[in-house]
Amino acid sequence: MKKINYILLATIVFTIASSCKKFDTLNTNPDVPTSVSPDLLATSVLKSTFRFWNPNPTDWGTAQLWDKHCTNLQNNPNPYQYYSSYWPYGGFGGAQNLTILNRMVDFASGSPMKPSYEGVRLFLKAWYGFTTTLDMGDIPYSEAGKAEEGITQPKYDKQADVFVSVLSDLKAAEEKFAIGVNFTGDIMLGGNAAKWRRLCNAMQLRVLNTISKKITPAQKARFAEIVTAGNLMTGNADNFQLAYLDNTNATYPFYNGEGMRVNLAMSKLMVDSLKKFNDRRLFYFGEPAAYKITGGLLENDFAAYEGAPSELSPNLLDLNRAAGKYSLLNKRYASSASRIGDPYIFFTYAEQCFIIAEAIEEGWVAGTAQTYYENGVKAMLDYYRTLSTVIQSNLHGMAIDQTYINNYFTGEAAYKTGGTKLQREQQIWMQRYFIDFFQAGGMSFRTFQRTGYPVFPLDPATTLNSGAPTQVPKRNMYPTDELTKNPVNYKKAVDEQFGGADDVNKTPWWLL
């Protein structure tokens, strides 16, 4: 939006009503805004970008099914359990924010904060490109958000080119924050330019890690360059997350979600994996299975927890729910005391550590993978140890303390220095999987797509992926309005990538 100015309109109306008054005697209505400040636009775009798409317990709970962290226990099939959603289409809505971001930078002209706002614009454009191309494949990127320049039917850039451009924009954003100052309007990192700079570098590592199947020698060198420079996230204080507030417009999406909680169990994949690592996050995430407690086990016993197999039929899951067979979601998530709830995590220091550990194992960069692995685990455990929204009475007497963190690396959790590279990487990937529990961020699904780990259980008899019942869908289809809004470029993209079939089971470039 350009500068909003009502003075001229008020002048015309006032002149018609009373021609004897001179223009320069008119007063501006103090209750009518005459401009929009960059911080207000920054807040607006950050909120629209990172706020959960429909903040209510049902949709937030349903979103947990995508990554197989949870299992739906209701006696009706839920397509999200198989990542074949009720609406299997992506969207280009993020591009609509690019024009607003341009105005944000315009309104910052003359301010020392302008470089930082420019950094935000570049970062959010890159975020849009990265998430959207992972969702669908080739997308409009180089010409996105240029309607004001007359480009209303943007070309689709090849996915490989999108990733290159995303990396370039993140690098440019990092350079802006390097010369920028702290700024206002930031609901994510408090306007701290140094934290944003570190995030831009960490995001480059995530992008490069994501395209590991296609990464070039030059891109591996770029990864090593970023790590060697050392300007990266330093701890949990740098985590990129959206914190909720104690008001009705910014409440935790699962607040008062008891009706959904009793139909949502931890998945067998999640429970069994946490048990394997002797990981106390199990007691933060779930409740003991009722039949195990009736059978004499205590709530602080790992054996009292049982996950629900996500591949079972809805009928069996519902019957087993009624019999108390599964560990339902922890009561703390739906408590009336959890209006603020856990922050919505998008990128953590721990994930950065795991990305670097994997890169060391792959030979992209020098270092000790075990150190990064252990630092990542410690950071995530400490995150829960110090999380202010955790309700201690719901932790089943198994709260994470410093002694537990210090002694974590035994058994399966001990880094397999004597094992194979694959075994060590599977440890890393599993710890990344733990990060996303009840977060709905979606990166666990992308790691699964890239690595095949952890293995998502699938039964062809129960999957709702009718087009390919033996596999998990690999992408979302393009939005249906592209058929009328941008038909030529849409058809070209579908023909060149997928042989003319815009289908959820087609394989995009990054997974080939």
Side-chain angles (χ1 to χ4, degrees), residues 195-228:
K195 289 185 178 183
W196 275 95
R197 183 186 182 190
R198 293 193 286 269
L199 174 64
C200 289
N201 284 327
M203 267 301 296
Q204 291 179 70
L205 301 187
R206 178 191 267 187
V207 174
L208 291 166
N209 170 263
T210 301
I211 59 171
S212 62
K213 286 187 172 185
K214 297 290 188 178
I215 194 167
T216 66
Q219 289 170 332
K220 291 179 184 179
R222 175 61 184 155
F223 189 103
E225 178 186 341
I226 294 170
V227 174
T228 302

Side-chain angles (χ1 to χ4, degrees), residues 111-145:
S111 167
M113 299 180 187
K114 184 176 180 180
S116 294
Y117 285 119
E118 290 175 320
V120 171
R121 175 176 62 181
L122 286 162
F123 176 88
L124 289 177
K125 181 186 178 186
W127 184 278
Y128 152 74
F130 178 64
T131 56
T132 307
T133 194
L134 286 178
D135 196 28
M136 292 175 281
D138 294 358
I139 61 166
Y141 189 76
S142 60
E143 294 183 349

Side-chain angles (χ1 to χ4, degrees), residues 276-335:
K276 192 176 180 181
F277 281 80
N278 198 36
D279 198 306
R280 286 194 184 184
R281 280 174 285 189
L282 175 65
F283 303 96
Y284 285 64
F285 296 161
E287 295 291 322
Y291 90 112
K292 294 282 190 178
I293 299 300
T294 302
L297 294 181
L298 300 177
E299 63 178 350
N300 64 351
D301 189 335
F302 277 91
Y305 294 76
E306 187 169 319
S310 58
E311 71 276 17
L312 285 189
S313 70
N315 288 341
L316 281 175
L317 288 167
D318 183 48
L319 288 171
N320 289 340
R321 176 199 58 77
K325 291 290 183 73
Y326 301 132
S327 290
L328 301 181
L329 191 69
N330 194 292
K331 293 177 182 178
R332 74 182 183 86
Y333 290 108
S335 168

Side-chain angles (χ1 to χ4, degrees), residues 146-427:
K146 294 188 175 182
E148 291 183 321
E149 300 175 31
I151 301 177
T152 57
Q153 295 186 335
K155 69 177 182 180
Y156 282 56
D157 297 302
K158 293 293 186 183
Q159 189 171 60
D161 295 332
V162 174
F163 283 117
V164 170
S165 296
V166 164
L167 288 166
S168 178
D169 284 340
L170 287 170
K171 185 176 186 296
E174 186 268 340
E175 291 168 351
K176 291 293 184 181
F177 285 120
I179 63 173
V181 299
N182 293 349
F183 61 101
T184 53
D186 175 21
I187 59 175
M188 304 296 290
L189 293 173
N192 189 310
K195 289 185 178 183
W196 275 95
R197 183 186 182 190
R198 293 193 286 269
L199 174 64
C200 289
N201 284 327
M203 267 301 296
Q204 291 179 70
L205 301 187
R206 178 191 267 187
V207 174
L208 291 166
N209 170 263
T210 301
I211 59 171
S212 62
K213 286 187 172 185
K214 297 290 188 178
I215 194 167
T216 66
Q219 289 170 332
K220 291 179 184 179
R222 175 61 184 155
F223 189 103
E225 178 186 341
I226 294 170
V227 174
T228 302
N231 207 328
L232 290 165
M233 301 164 78
T234 59
N236 287 334
D238 286 343
N239 287 352
F240 190 56
Q241 62 187 34
L242 178 64
Y244 296 100
L245 303 174
D246 191 13
N247 73 55
T248 56
N249 294 317
T251 296
Y252 182 56
F254 209 72
Y255 170 62
N256 272 346
E258 183 65 16
M260 183 66 182
R261 189 194 71 83
V262 296
N263 290 303
L264 199 63
M266 294 184 70
S267 70
K268 178 176 173 57
L269 171 61
M270 189 71 187
V271 170
D272 289 355
S273 298
L274 287 166
K275 284 182 178 181
K276 192 176 180 181
F277 281 80
N278 198 36
D279 198 306
R280 286 194 184 184
R281 280 174 285 189
L282 175 65
F283 303 96
Y284 285 64
F285 296 161
E287 295 291 322
Y291 90 112
K292 294 282 190 178
I293 299 300
T294 302
L297 294 181
L298 300 177
E299 63 178 350
N300 64 351
D301 189 335
F302 277 91
Y305 294 76
E306 187 169 319
S310 58
E311 71 276 17
L312 285 189
S313 70
N315 288 341
L316 281 175
L317 288 167
D318 183 48
L319 288 171
N320 289 340
R321 176 199 58 77
K325 291 290 183 73
Y326 301 132
S327 290
L328 301 181
L329 191 69
N330 194 292
K331 293 177 182 178
R332 74 182 183 86
Y333 290 108
S335 168
S336 59
S338 63
R339 180 182 286 274
I340 296 177
D342 292 2
Y344 192 179
I345 294 173
F346 288 93
F347 201 159
T348 63
Y349 164 74
E351 182 184 352
Q352 175 187 278
C353 288
F354 298 138
I355 289 171
I356 297 173
E358 181 183 340
I360 293 172
E361 291 288 354
E362 290 294 328
W364 296 3
V365 62
T368 305
Q370 180 179 357
T371 299
Y372 281 98
Y373 165 79
E374 292 183 354
N375 285 346
V377 174
K378 289 175 184 177
M380 212 59 222
L381 292 175
D382 195 58
Y383 176 84
Y384 280 102
R385 182 184 72 83
T386 59
L387 189 60
S388 61
T389 54
V390 165
I391 301 171
Q392 294 295 317
S393 60
N394 290 131
L395 303 183
H396 313 293
M398 293 292 279
I400 294 170
D401 56 25
Q402 192 59 53
T403 300
Y404 169 76
I405 295 174
N406 293 342
N407 297 322
Y408 182 86
F409 300 102
T410 59
E412 185 61 29
Y415 201 61
K416 296 177 186 273
T417 53
T420 65
K421 182 181 79 170
L422 179 60
Q423 288 176 323
R424 292 190 294 272
E425 289 186 335
Q426 286 178 342
Q427 287 181 294

